[in-house]
Amino acid sequence: MIQRDEPITITGSASAGNLVTVSMGGVERSAKAGKDGRFAATFPPVTAGQPFDIEARSPSGRVVSHDVLAGDVYLCSGQSNMELEVRHAQDAMGQIRNSADPALRLMTIPRAVADQPRQAFAQAPIWKTAGPDSVPDFSAACYYMARELRKSAGVPIGAIASSWGGSQISPWMGERAQAAVGNSAQSDLLALHARNATEGERAASAQWESWWRKATGDRAGAEPWQPGAKMDWADAPAMSAWEDWGIPPLASYNGMVWFRRDFTLSAAQAKGEAALSLGTLDDVGRAWINGQPVGMGARAWQPTTLSVPPGILKAGRNMLIVNVVDNYDKGGLLGPADDMALRPSQGDAVPLGDGWRYAVARTSPPGAPRVPWSDVTGTSTLYNGMIAPLGGIKLKGVAWYQGESDTDIPGYAGRLAAMIADWRQQFGQPDLGFAIVQLAGYGKPATRPGESGWAQLRDAQRTAVTADAHAGLATAVDLGDPFDIHPGEKQELGRRLARVMRALAYGAPIAKSGPQAAGAVKSGDGAVIVRFTGVEGGLHLRSGVQALGFEMCGSGDDTCRYVQAQVQGDHVILTGDGKPAERVRYAWADYPVMNLYDGTPLPIGPSEVPIAR
């Protein structure tokens, strides 16, 4: 599937210096492979129509792609709620059974991490025709959006899914985007690791250790990873999550735990380098041997193997210290025990699947640095492996559903704006439309006003989109599930994304972001009037005579309170209560209860706006 009405560049690799002849729809172009073996041939735009073939031939071989369609191509990316497959969404069986459409093409980019931008995918992705064999494993949000656009666009549609569950936005930001938000130091560290992995690990370890001393006040030489550090060590019951040990203080503990394991080496075993296999460290862990840093696991929730440089091990007794940080669900050294071992370059492996001791950290400072070459928290690593290889292909639009993993990390609006600008530059499309999903509700339904990291993130999404003439917002807050961070209702989400795309990509005369608060003003009687933008068909209440979830707030975090909210025409009037009011918040909770919609019907999006005087 290729994008219609845009210049087409066919790229590939051949033997260096070979002349490659590329033909497409009866038109031929020739290109010479460079020293790196890469070639590129450019063709004029084509319109949507019958399938055609693309052929590339040279003395080193011949490749033909059959049944190529021109239409509109969309890229869908983000974390787990974009990655969630159709088979795991609601009504999957019926939707899969009726999914056959030869003019809807789907492609999933395999997960890949890279220190530097790749020109080609580590594992080549494949276009598949939509149907019961391909749809079940494809992104549900992306599929339902593409299916809706097929109905209205009247042309073939291609959907590319490139997502990774649990990922922050930083791994999806290229080097230009990192520089735009002041993160060049991490990009430099990533580049160092690409050149010399040992030097990269050493520099990252120094960064982590400096962070620890600054965060805790520990002096150099007295940190918990030192062999003589005093801690309340106890025997670890098993290589499993500490929540499963039956120890009450750890039953629901999220934070840091230190682990210790002594082992003895012969002179031969201690000579040279070694590989340290620690099993799965949940979420992530960092290791020291004899007080010297060995490295941090770069893959969250996956087995970790670290390289131990020469000079760290010694003949006789050695001490291994591991710090494990768990921020979500269960945590610990998960094993399997049989895989945990030190494997010296000389001599037998040393099993490490038992004999561990643990100590709960006296303090668990937030913001522990991760290595920039990690997967879900890295710097540009997913961009390098899963976006950069797309090269300069042309797209009709991008759908982005991510943010859960950035909750409580300041500056999301800036990071999102920088990522969007970077991707537009890569694809050579400064006006490329981005449809951003505003996070779905999750957690305990709100019963009183309070601070909410999820609400802050949603408002950051709204802020970034409002400042971008070619971005739109698809609100999903009312599609959430208080008990499941991965809500199954993806069909309505797909319809909302398609609606945004119709405004951005096809110029449909509808609001690109749905109904949102536009501002608030104080009236003479102390009431506050809230006005909205993007409302179609008026404001409507569900199951009540008042709008739920409106708050008036003073300047402090603890000054917000629910107020009565009456709908009058195209605005909402908040009843004054005589207390200071400087701003209005709406649906400000992890899982807000909402009953205000427009005639579309779309929910009024969560927001915080100042009160003008």
Side-chain angles (χ1 to χ4, degrees), residues 477-509:
V477 63
D478 63 323
L479 304 179
D481 185 329
F483 305 105
D484 191 347
I485 200 171
H486 305 121
E489 177 50 273
K490 292 295 190 281
Q491 290 188 61
E492 174 60 19
L493 175 61
R495 284 189 284 268
R496 293 181 185 181
L497 280 169
R499 177 183 171 86
V500 175
M501 286 300 185
R502 291 188 187 106
L504 295 174
Y506 301 99

Side-chain angles (χ1 to χ4, degrees), residues 372-390:
W373 47 89
S374 66
D375 45 21
V376 297
T377 61
T379 298
S380 306
T381 48
L382 303 188
Y383 170 84
N384 291 339
M386 300 174 67
I387 299 297
L390 290 170

Side-chain angles (χ1 to χ4, degrees), residues 313-338:
L313 300 173
K314 61 183 181 180
R317 177 174 172 268
N318 293 259
M319 181 180 293
L320 168 61
I321 300 286
V322 178
N323 172 278
V324 175
V325 182
D326 174 46
N327 294 316
Y328 175 75
D329 200 23
K330 295 183 177 182
L333 290 177
L334 305 188
D338 291 345

Side-chain angles (χ1 to χ4, degrees), residues 7-10 22 24 27-31 40-44:
I8 301 163
T9 300
I10 307 298
V22 183
M24 186 184 75
V27 179
E28 286 194 353
R29 294 285 189 271
S30 294
T42 301
F43 293 81

